Amino acid sequence: GARHNKQVVEENDILEAIDSITLGPIKDIILDDKTREIIAYHESGHAVVSWMLRYAAPLVKVTIVPRGKSLGAAWYLPDERQITRSEQMLDEMCATLGGRAAEEIIYKKTSTGALNDLEKVSKQAKAMVLVYGFNEKIGNVTYYDSSGEQSFSKPYSEDTAKKIDMEIKKIIDIEYKRAKEILKKYQDSLTELAKLLLKKEVIFK
């Protein structure tokens, strides 16, 4: 039905409905100015890095309105690709690390707010190495079992396990460094967007 006595459903109404479903209702909490500023720079970091990457999904919306378990969020429009190439995964990981990288550049330290980002990129890097065979050191091999059979031991040696851990860490380190390099180059844009977010709280496209 129409909301706020409006006769026409607008794009923003649709996006708000999606937000409510995916993130939950708006939180009725008051954040101190410093916390709001950190969140604004974090979300702006995601946005600026994604804009500068060829294969990252296009950004639709950035907000610092707290809702559900989130204190801020950036939404991307996933493309309808049938397959994903390694460079696309790397660009998306880089954009995901943009929030944490922005905090480090602006404040010389990071907050606990990047936990979900770290979890996401760790899973992606692990998939690149263990599932898709995208890592040169480990090679064209997958440890994914489509049969769904459970194994009580790792299908590789302890030595290979150490190599896998090192390669996963290396991928994340490289993408984090790349995110920082982008944000240092475009730091004026990062600051401008963060200030705009603090003022408007929600920015579309």
Side-chain angles (χ1 to χ4, degrees):
R3 302 178 60 198
H4 308 300
N5 298 318
K6 287 191 286 188
Q7 298 303 310
V8 179
V9 177
E10 297 175 355
E11 182 183 8
N12 289 3
D13 296 325
I14 296 168
L15 291 171
E16 169 59 31
I18 293 169
D19 294 351
S20 296
I21 294 167
T22 56
L23 288 180
I26 293 173
K27 270 184 175 177
D28 188 21
I29 60 171
I30 298 172
L31 300 173
D32 62 85
D33 290 344
K34 192 63 183 177
T35 300
R36 284 182 80 250
E37 183 185 278
I38 291 169
I39 296 165
Y41 271 105
H42 183 101
E43 299 306 331
S44 296
H46 288 309
V48 172
V49 173
S50 70
W51 284 334
M52 301 305 164
L53 295 172
R54 182 176 179 183
Y55 298 110
L59 193 75
V60 175
K61 175 183 172 183
V62 190
T63 180
I64 57 169
V65 176
R67 59 192 313 152
K69 294 181 180 179
S70 173
L71 296 179
W75 282 260
Y76 302 92
L77 186 67
D79 58 16
E80 309 232 343
R81 52 175 93 134
Q82 298 299 315
I83 60 171
T84 301
R85 301 195 303 276
S86 60
E87 57 264 41
Q88 292 168 330
M89 291 184 75
L90 292 172
D91 275 7
E92 286 175 7
M93 286 171 64
C94 188
T96 302
L97 289 165
R100 187 178 177 89
E103 289 186 40
E104 186 177 324
I105 287 168
I106 300 299
Y107 303 108
K108 312 303 180 204
K109 55 188 174 184
T110 55
S111 72
T112 57
L115 174 59
N116 287 346
D117 298 338
L118 292 178
E119 184 182 7
K120 182 181 175 183
V121 295
S122 295
K123 286 179 179 177
Q124 286 174 314
K126 194 173 183 179
M128 290 187 78
V129 176
L130 287 175
V131 178
Y132 299 114
F134 282 162
N135 183 264
E136 287 183 12
K137 281 273 178 73
I138 305 305
N140 295 321
V141 61
T142 183
Y143 295 102
Y144 173 71
D145 185 357
S146 59
S147 70
E149 293 177 6
Q150 296 295 319
S151 173
F152 293 101
S153 61
K154 288 182 180 177
Y156 42 78
S157 68
E158 197 61 40
D159 182 54
T160 301
K162 288 178 183 176
K163 286 180 184 175
I164 287 168
D165 287 342
M166 284 176 62
E167 292 306 305
I168 289 170
K169 184 179 184 302
K170 191 187 295 181
I171 290 169
I172 296 169
D173 287 347
I174 289 170
E175 293 314 311
Y176 186 57
K177 183 182 177 185
R178 190 158 69 114
K180 284 199 294 183
E181 287 171 353
I182 290 169
L183 291 175
K184 283 175 183 175
K185 184 176 180 180
Y186 297 100
Q187 193 165 337
D188 288 348
S189 297
L190 173 68
T191 300
E192 187 180 349
L193 183 58
K195 286 179 178 177
L196 190 61
L197 260 179
L198 285 167
K199 184 180 177 182
K200 296 185 69 174
E201 293 196 321
V202 180
I203 299 171
F204 293 93
K205 296 182 181 178

